[in-house]
Amino acid sequence: QVQLVESGGGLVQAGGSLRLSCAASGSIFTINTMGWYRQAPGKQRDLVAVFSRGGSTNYADSVKGRFTISRDNAKNTVYLQMNSLKPEDTAVYYCNAAIWDWRGSSRYDDYWGQGTQVTVSS
């Protein structure tokens, strides 16, 4: 089994910063894409940032220039550095990864973290 565990969420004032982390553990053969999504109350879950195979990144327009996604393959961990936070960034943030579990599958499966709450006060 594979599990994604997130940390780093919390309450911060507008203009502040937070750093989210997500560590994958278990019977991991390899990891393809890793990324971050967020969901506000009454809204759909939207892409925030993706770190794709080959090292390329992609960001939602609303976070470009403020958020940075990074990845440490040796630790099976993805990070999201969030700067200049706005109240509109308030949401539950979810880690996502495409992972090949050598014990349970011979293909990539889509995994989600439990979600971590980010609240930005005005």
Side-chain angles (χ1 to χ4, degrees), residues 56-101:
S56 63
T57 58
N58 186 259
Y59 297 90
D61 288 341
S62 59
V63 307
K64 287 181 179 177
R66 299 189 297 122
F67 291 10
T68 302
I69 188 171
S70 60
R71 181 172 170 177
D72 186 338
N73 292 329
K75 297 181 179 179
N76 293 325
T77 300
V78 64
Y79 306 92
L80 186 67
Q81 178 66 46
M82 304 185 293
N83 298 325
S84 301
L85 282 162
K86 305 174 181 179
E88 305 91 89
D89 296 317
T90 296
V92 177
Y93 284 70
Y94 295 91
C95 176
N96 172 259
I99 301 174
W100 186 350
D101 180 350

Side-chain angles (χ1 to χ4, degrees), residues 2 4-5 10-12 15 18 20 29 37-39 58 60 65 72 80 84-85 89 93 105 109 117 119 122:
V2 171
L4 300 178
V5 179
L11 176 64
V12 66
L18 285 173
L20 307 183
F29 179 73
Y37 293 72
R38 67 186 182 187
Q39 186 170 21
N58 186 259
D72 186 338
L80 186 67
S84 301
L85 282 162
D89 296 317
Y93 284 70
S105 178
D109 288 315
Q117 177 70 49
T119 302
S122 60

Side-chain angles (χ1 to χ4, degrees), residues 100-120:
W100 186 350
D101 180 350
W102 63 265
R103 292 188 65 186
S105 178
S106 59
R107 63 180 178 87
Y108 288 103
D109 288 315
D110 203 39
Y111 291 85
W112 292 91
Q114 78 284 358
T116 184
Q117 177 70 49
V118 172
T119 302
V120 184

Side-chain angles (χ1 to χ4, degrees), residues 24-42:
S25 62
S27 50
I28 300 170
F29 179 73
T30 189
I31 302 177
N32 196 342
T33 302
M34 302 188 80
W36 292 92
Y37 293 72
R38 67 186 182 187
Q39 186 170 21

